[in-house]
């Protein structure tokens, strides 16, 4: 938790303007999205009544669709951009820290593990700072707006829909701990794989150097 708070204060909080704009855009996106079914209902009512309400509803749906495309795209830009900035700052901080460490540290940690931490681990952090926060905010906003709209239409139907959703949420939470364990194992295996890869590449250079030396020392070349 200490490292998480430090990361948030150093790399996320300074980018609050980006995230603030993203939250506003997500609110607009979901507010427009919950209006689409309402306009479709108006269009169906007009179709049954044989009135011109169908054309008006179709126009409203088209405008809402275009507006959703625009706000959704901008919300992604607003959330993904600070994720990239956080990734860049974290990579710089890690590189500067590695330069200050003593040789004893590198004796305890393999090259592959350090490579994995500097590449894939930071990539996951960037995903959390961008896509992860986007999804977290989007789920909360969508739930609040959608549930409010559903309750306005039919509280009974809303309760019937909430039951399987709650069950699915409980199942997901039950498997979340297992997912974290597997993710840690995957990162450890990736570190070992990176270390083996570095060893193979270094070994190739050594073998090629020895082959070149043997060729130079062969009797034919000496003559």
């Amino acid at each position: 938790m200490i490292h998480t708070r430090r990361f948030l204060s150093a790399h996320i909080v300074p980018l609050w303007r980006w995230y603030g704009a993203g939250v506003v855009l997500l609110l607009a996106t979901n507010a427009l999205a919950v209006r689409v079914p309402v306009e479709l209902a108006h269009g169906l009512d007009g179709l049954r009544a044989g009135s011109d309400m169908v054309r008006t509803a179709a126009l409203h749906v088209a405008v809402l669709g275009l507006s959703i495309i625009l706000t959704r795209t901008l919300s992604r830009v607003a959330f993904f951009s600070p994720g990239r900035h956080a990734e860049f700052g974290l990579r710089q901080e890690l590189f500067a820290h590695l330069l200050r460490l003593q040789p004893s540290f590198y004796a305890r940690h393999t090259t592959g593990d350090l490579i994995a931490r500097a590449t894939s681990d930071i990539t996951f952090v960037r995903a959390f700072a961008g896509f992860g926060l986007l999804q977290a905010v989007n789920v909360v906003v969508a739930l609040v707006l959608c549930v409010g709209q559903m309750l306005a239409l039919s509280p009974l139907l809303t309760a019937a829909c909430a039951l399987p959703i709650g069950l699915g949420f409980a199942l997901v939470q039950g498997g979340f701990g297992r997912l974290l364990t597997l993710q840690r194992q995957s990162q450890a295996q990736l570190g070992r794989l990176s270390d083996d890869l570095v060893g193979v590449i270094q070994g190739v250079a050594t073998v090629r150097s020895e082959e070149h030396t043997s060729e130079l020392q062969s009797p034919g070349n000496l003559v």
Side-chain angles (χ1 to χ4, degrees):
M1 293 300 297
I2 296 177
H3 296 294
T4 301
R5 288 195 296 267
R6 181 177 176 276
F7 168 73
L8 292 175
S9 61
H11 299 285
I12 299 299
V13 174
L15 302 171
W16 65 269
R17 292 182 179 84
W18 284 97
Y19 290 113
V23 171
V24 172
L25 290 166
L26 283 178
L27 285 169
T29 300
N30 287 279
L32 293 170
V34 298
R35 285 297 305 174
V36 173
V38 177
E39 294 298 333
L40 289 176
H42 292 164
L44 292 175
D45 293 340
L47 183 63
R48 294 191 187 98
S51 65
D52 291 337
M53 190 182 297
V54 178
R55 295 180 180 177
T56 303
L59 179 61
H60 288 173
V61 171
V63 173
L64 288 171
L66 293 175
S67 301
I68 290 172
I69 292 173
L70 177 62
T71 55
R72 188 181 298 276
T73 301
L74 292 177
S75 69
R76 265 77 181 150
V77 173
F79 271 94
F80 292 168
S81 295
R84 293 291 185 182
H85 287 298
E87 178 188 21
F88 176 73
L90 192 60
R91 290 187 187 279
Q92 283 189 315
E93 184 178 328
L94 175 62
F95 183 70
H97 182 67
L98 290 175
L99 292 179
R100 294 193 298 268
L101 293 175
Q102 299 300 316
S104 59
F105 171 83
Y106 295 99
R108 296 193 308 268
H109 297 81
T110 63
T111 304
D113 181 62
L114 296 177
I115 291 175
R117 293 179 183 274
T119 54
S120 63
D121 286 15
I122 293 183
T123 299
F124 281 117
V125 173
R126 185 253 299 167
F128 161 77
F131 184 77
L133 292 180
L134 168 70
Q135 290 301 317
V137 174
N138 189 50
V139 168
V140 173
V141 172
L143 280 176
V144 172
L145 294 179
C146 289
V147 170
Q149 186 66 49
M150 291 171 66
L151 288 172
L153 294 175
S154 174
L156 181 60
L157 184 59
T158 302
C161 293
L163 181 61
I165 293 177
L167 180 60
F169 179 77
L171 293 174
V172 170
Q173 287 298 109
F176 192 68
R178 177 60 177 167
L179 180 62
L180 288 179
T181 301
L182 293 175
Q183 182 63 43
R184 293 190 184 98
Q185 293 176 357
S186 175
Q187 291 300 103
Q189 292 173 357
L190 182 59
R192 290 193 293 270
L193 178 62
S194 299
D195 191 55
D196 291 340
L197 180 60
V198 170
V200 169
I201 294 175
Q202 292 176 342
V204 169
T206 302
V207 170
R208 293 296 299 170
S209 176
E210 291 178 353
E211 289 180 350
H212 184 65
T213 303
S214 299
E215 290 177 358
L216 292 177
Q217 293 178 351
S218 62
N221 292 329
L222 293 177
V223 174

